[in-house]
Amino acid sequence: MKSGLLAAVAAAGLLLAAPASAQGVKIGILNDQSGVYADYGGKWSFEAAKMAVEDFGGEVLGHKIEVISADHQNKADLGTAIARRWYEVEGVDMITELTTSSVALAIHELSKEKKKIDIVVGAATSRLTGDSCQPYGFHWAYDTHALAYGTGGALVESGGDTWFFMTADYAFGHALEKDTGDFVRAKGGKVLGAVRIPLNSSDFSSFLLQAQSSKAKIIGLANAGLDTTNSIKQAAEFGIVRSGQKLAGLLLTLAEVHGLGLDAAQGLVLTEGYYWDRDARSRNLAERFFKRTGRMPNMIQAGTYSATLQYLKAVKAAGTKDTEAVAKKLKELPVDDDFAQGGKVLENGRMVHDLYLFEVKKPSESKKPWDYYKQLAVVPGDKAFPAAKDSGCPLVK
């Protein structure tokens, strides 16, 4: 097992560019590039980060900016080994994206030990800025609290007051089920049950039958990526939605909707922090991204663009890449880019910005490629995310 891990790290190392000079700035994109979350973030997040560097000008403080990437395969031990190599050998200054909550929590702890900055975009658990917060860790784009407030709160208010959860059996799924369940109960709804499902399952039939037999009005999919799309496809085969129950994609992005197609995804309600066709600024980012990749970005890819750009702005403002100085600037500077406007970073590292409640269009409502969402509501950032003092972060007094 250990030799296999070392071989995987060595293989990842072979993909990396030569170490940067001590003066240059080196950014690492660490995520799932081959598994269940490969479309959700994957190589597309790497492209988004490179795009941010190009938009910034390619250098900072007179030195070149370098971006490297590796695939953590959703394994916390592999992710930690790669990150340790990056910090200790490769001269990486900041790691971002970090899809998969178990991996992100492990890197968060390593970054604290090594006094390096990480900006989590792809992982969801609200623990990153709660009980696991640390001075050099930041959380961009969204978290389980925001998704629960947006999607869970909206569905209860519209009559979906009984829930059954199909939950990915690791830190992210547990946090999303808990946060959504808490909102459901707070608004007078009931949670009738839940089932825990291993990551990267292929057969959801027994779990769907349990959800169906619960008679819950809402089946909450506390999973993501291919696990979500496979759940939805198999639910259609069981006729679950036709029989009157509603599916809630608690972490569903444009990438998964695209993979499903509108026939299967129509009517799903979801919360995202970004949609490419929402306004002129989101379209500016998306259209340039499309020219590079042939696809529109979701909130993870657009969020990685924003996180990378904001880190570089903080380095420039600090006049140094020293971790303490840059972390201080990250908490001082407003966030204003094509991903988020009027954003701010709290003392616990949480970037607060508005999110949006969407419904997936019917095929007849879509007028052009990637025209998938109709906006139902704005979810204000100060409602979606708790105040730092209420987050459970031990750094905040």
Side-chain angles (χ1 to χ4, degrees), residues 256-278:
E256 291 77 61
V257 172
H258 182 68
L260 279 166
L262 293 183
D263 277 332
Q266 61 183 306
L268 284 166
V269 175
L270 58 101
T271 301
E272 277 214 65
Y274 168 91
Y275 176 50
W276 75 270
D277 202 22
R278 205 183 68 79

Side-chain angles (χ1 to χ4, degrees), residues 21 23-25 56-65 315-316 319:
S21 71
Q23 292 80 26
V25 169
F56 192 78
E59 61 177 45
V60 64
L61 306 180
H63 297 284
K64 182 184 173 189
I65 304 160
V315 171
K316 182 179 180 181

Side-chain angles (χ1 to χ4, degrees), residues 96-335:
T96 187
E97 219 278 42
L98 290 169
T99 295
T100 314
S101 291
S102 52
V103 180
L105 286 164
I107 304 305
H108 218 50
E109 194 58 35
L110 178 68
S111 299
K112 177 183 176 183
E113 175 195 327
K114 297 296 178 184
K115 292 191 175 181
K116 296 278 193 173
I117 286 170
D118 68 65
I119 306 179
V120 178
V121 183
T125 179
S126 54
R127 289 187 57 204
L128 288 159
T129 52
D131 63 355
S132 294
C133 76
Q134 51 99 337
Y136 319 116
F138 298 84
H139 202 179
W140 237 245
Y142 76 106
D143 64 16
T144 51
H145 185 281
L147 298 176
Y149 181 90
T151 308
L155 286 171
V156 175
E157 287 172 1
S158 64
D161 56 2
T162 55
W163 285 64
F164 185 94
F165 289 98
M166 292 176 54
T167 303
D169 193 13
Y170 75 104
F172 147 66
H174 302 168
L176 188 50
E177 179 193 317
K178 180 189 180 300
D179 286 352
T180 307
D182 287 349
F183 273 109
V184 168
R185 295 183 193 95
K187 290 181 176 287
K190 293 180 180 178
V191 176
L192 304 183
V195 62
R196 299 285 172 86
I197 307 170
L199 181 66
N200 206 13
S201 294
S202 58
D203 184 1
F204 292 83
S205 54
S206 65
F207 310 120
L208 285 162
L209 286 170
Q210 290 178 64
Q212 192 172 33
S213 64
S214 74
K215 307 295 185 188
K217 294 177 184 176
I218 307 292
I219 298 172
L221 302 177
N223 51 19
L226 286 176
D227 284 349
T228 301
T229 56
N230 288 333
S231 301
I232 293 167
K233 287 175 183 175
Q234 291 176 37
E237 293 168 11
F238 280 91
I240 284 176
V241 175
R242 285 196 303 275
S243 66
Q245 289 174 294
K246 183 182 275 285
L247 298 177
L250 295 172
L251 177 45
L252 193 66
T253 78
L254 194 75
E256 291 77 61
V257 172
H258 182 68
L260 279 166
L262 293 183
D263 277 332
Q266 61 183 306
L268 284 166
V269 175
L270 58 101
T271 301
E272 277 214 65
Y274 168 91
Y275 176 50
W276 75 270
D277 202 22
R278 205 183 68 79
D279 60 20
R281 292 195 71 173
S282 62
R283 283 190 288 274
N284 176 58
L285 174 63
E287 286 162 5
R288 294 186 299 118
F289 185 84
F290 187 88
K291 285 178 183 176
R292 299 174 73 106
T293 64
R295 60 192 288 131
M296 292 300 184
N298 64 4
M299 70 171 165
I300 310 307
Q301 293 136 15
T304 301
Y305 171 90
S306 173
T308 304
L309 192 62
Q310 195 70 9
Y311 171 75
L312 295 172
K313 289 177 181 177
V315 171
K316 182 179 180 181
T320 174
K321 64 175 188 174
D322 172 73
T323 295
E324 298 280 359
V326 175
K328 185 170 183 287
K329 285 298 178 185
L330 278 167
K331 292 175 183 178
E332 291 174 357
L333 295 173
V335 179

